[in-house]
Amino acid sequence: MKPEDLLNSQVEEFNKGNISFLMTLYEKDVCFASKSGQVVKDPESIRRTLQSFIDMGTKLEARVKRVFQANDLTLLITEWTINGTKPDGKLINLTGRGTVVLRRQSDGVWLMVIENPWGTDNLQV
């Protein structure tokens, strides 16, 4: 499995609503930007964030733009869109350029260590 294959699996399972599988893609001590300026480090917060998008019936599209690999670490630069409809009928149309850091595990599987879907365009310090 190549590091970028993880993104493809993430998109496919997100669109199926498979939150259990999505959570297996992260290392235990992951750092996740739930939205611009907010970082969470516990799996339950990540689960809630992802589940909120799934519950709205949104669909994710994403593609890898660049791959930088150094031994067991990889940085993916991604572009993504999320489209759907909120329960109140308002349309959701989000786009972003994200960054994902993956680490190869001892069994050869790649897992996310850092996921920042918001990239650097809207970071609040």
Side-chain angles (χ1 to χ4, degrees):
M1 178 175 180
K2 298 182 299 187
E4 51 268 41
D5 293 338
L6 184 134
L7 182 71
N8 297 330
S9 295
Q10 184 183 33
V11 169
E12 184 177 324
E13 297 303 319
F14 179 95
N15 290 334
K16 290 179 185 176
N18 189 350
I19 192 71
S20 295
F21 178 83
L22 292 174
M23 296 310 298
T24 68
L25 300 177
Y26 297 96
E27 280 194 357
K28 180 182 73 167
D29 297 323
V30 65
C31 176
F32 179 84
S34 61
K35 60 183 178 179
S36 184
Q38 280 194 342
V39 175
V40 295
K41 295 186 178 186
D42 66 285
E44 190 51 41
S45 293
I46 296 169
R47 177 185 290 274
R48 282 193 305 270
T49 298
L50 295 174
Q51 190 66 56
S52 69
F53 283 104
I54 290 170
D55 289 348
M56 287 188 272
T58 58
K59 294 300 177 192
L60 173 64
E61 292 181 27
R63 68 178 190 261
V64 174
K65 297 295 288 177
R66 296 284 309 265
V67 178
F68 300 95
Q69 188 169 349
N71 298 318
D72 291 336
L73 289 175
T74 297
L75 171 66
L76 301 180
I77 308 298
T78 65
E79 288 184 343
W80 57 268
T81 61
I82 290 181
N83 296 297
T85 306
K86 292 182 181 180
D88 63 5
K90 291 183 181 176
L91 294 179
I92 299 168
N93 184 3
L94 300 173
T95 62
R97 289 179 294 222
T99 53
V100 181
V101 177
L102 307 170
R103 183 180 359 245
R104 185 177 13 229
Q105 309 299 298
S106 60
D107 62 0
V109 171
W110 291 92
L111 294 180
M112 287 184 269
V113 180
I114 301 169
E115 184 178 16
N116 179 14
W118 310 106
T120 58
D121 292 339
N122 297 309
L123 287 182
Q124 299 171 4
V125 181

